[in-house]
C-alpha cells in the first residue's frame, strides 16, 4: 500500500468533525466559566472584599470547583462537550493537576497521587518559578543600575 492510498483510507475512515459546532460549544462554555468568575468576583466584592481580594477569592473558588468537578468525574463530561472552552487558564490548570491524582489514586497516596499529581502541571510550575526568578533578578539589576 502506498502512502497516498493509506492517506485516502485514513480520510475515508476518519469521522468528520463538526468544526463550527465545536467552536461554538468551546466559545459558550469558556464564556460561561468566565461569567461565573465575574459573578463570583462581584459577589465577593459586595460581601466587603476590595477588588484584589475579591478577584483572588473568585480564583480560589474556581480552582476548588474545578478540582471538585474533576474528582467527581464531571469536568471530563464538560470538557467532552465544551472542548477547548474548558481550558480557560485557571480551571484548566486545576483540572490538569487534579486529573492525574484521580487517575493514579488506586496506586496509593504516596506512589500514586503523590508521584503523579505533577506529571502534567510540573513542567509548567518549574518553568513559571524559574522564569520568575530570572525576571526578578533582571529587574533587581535594572533597579540597581538605574
Amino acid at each position: 500500500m502506498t502512502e497516498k492510498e493509506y492517506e485516502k483510507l485514513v480520510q475515508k475512515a476518519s469521522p468528520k468533525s463538526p468544526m463550527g459546532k465545536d467552536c461554538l460549544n468551546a466559545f459558550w462554555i469558556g464564556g460561561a466559566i468566565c461569567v461565573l468568575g465575574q459573578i463570583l468576583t462581584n459577589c465577593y466584592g459586595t460581601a466587603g472584599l476590595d477588588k484584589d481580594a475579591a478577584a483572588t477569592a473568585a480564583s480560589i473558588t474556581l480552582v476548588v470547583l474545578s478540582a471538585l468537578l474533576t474528582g467527581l468525574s464531571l469536568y471530563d463530561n464538560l470538557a467532552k462537550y465544551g472542548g477547548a472552552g474548558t481550558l480557560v487558564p485557571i480551571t484548566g490548570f486545576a483540572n490538569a493537576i487534579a486529573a492525574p491524582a484521580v487517575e493514579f489514586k488506586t496506586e496509593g497516596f504516596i506512589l500514586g497521587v503523590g508521584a503523579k499529581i505533577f506529571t502534567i502541571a510540573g513542567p509548567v510550575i518549574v518553568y513559571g518559578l524559574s522564569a520568575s526568578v530570572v525576571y526578578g533578578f533582571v529587574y533587581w539589576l535594572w533597579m540597581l543600575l538605574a
Side-chain angles (χ1 to χ4, degrees):
M1 178 177 285
T2 67
E3 190 174 318
K4 290 190 182 228
E5 292 172 336
Y6 179 74
E7 185 177 328
K8 285 181 183 178
L9 184 65
V10 168
Q11 286 178 356
K12 185 178 176 183
S14 298
K16 300 295 180 213
S17 175
M19 190 170 303
K21 180 182 159 215
D22 290 347
C23 288
L24 183 63
N25 287 343
F27 178 78
W28 82 264
I29 292 289
I33 292 170
C34 292
V35 166
L36 176 62
Q38 187 61 52
I39 290 170
L40 289 169
T41 302
N42 293 347
C43 289
Y44 286 127
T46 56
L49 296 177
D50 65 18
K51 187 176 181 179
D52 289 337
T56 301
S59 296
I60 291 169
T61 304
L62 287 173
V63 167
V64 169
L65 283 174
S66 178
L68 180 66
L69 290 176
T70 299
L72 297 173
S73 297
L74 297 174
Y75 200 89
D76 289 340
N77 295 335
L78 184 65
K80 285 177 189 172
Y81 184 74
T86 58
L87 296 177
V88 174
I90 199 152
T91 57
F93 187 71
N95 175 261
I97 289 177
V102 171
E103 184 177 342
F104 292 99
K105 185 175 72 173
T106 57
E107 295 179 22
F109 285 109
I110 303 295
L111 297 176
V113 175
K116 299 294 184 179
I117 193 166
F118 293 111
T119 54
I120 294 175
V124 175
I125 293 170
V126 169
Y127 174 77
L129 288 173
S130 302
S132 66
V133 168
V134 170
Y135 297 150
F137 183 70
V138 169
Y139 179 74
W140 176 75
L141 280 176
W142 182 267
M143 297 308 289
L144 191 66
L145 298 173

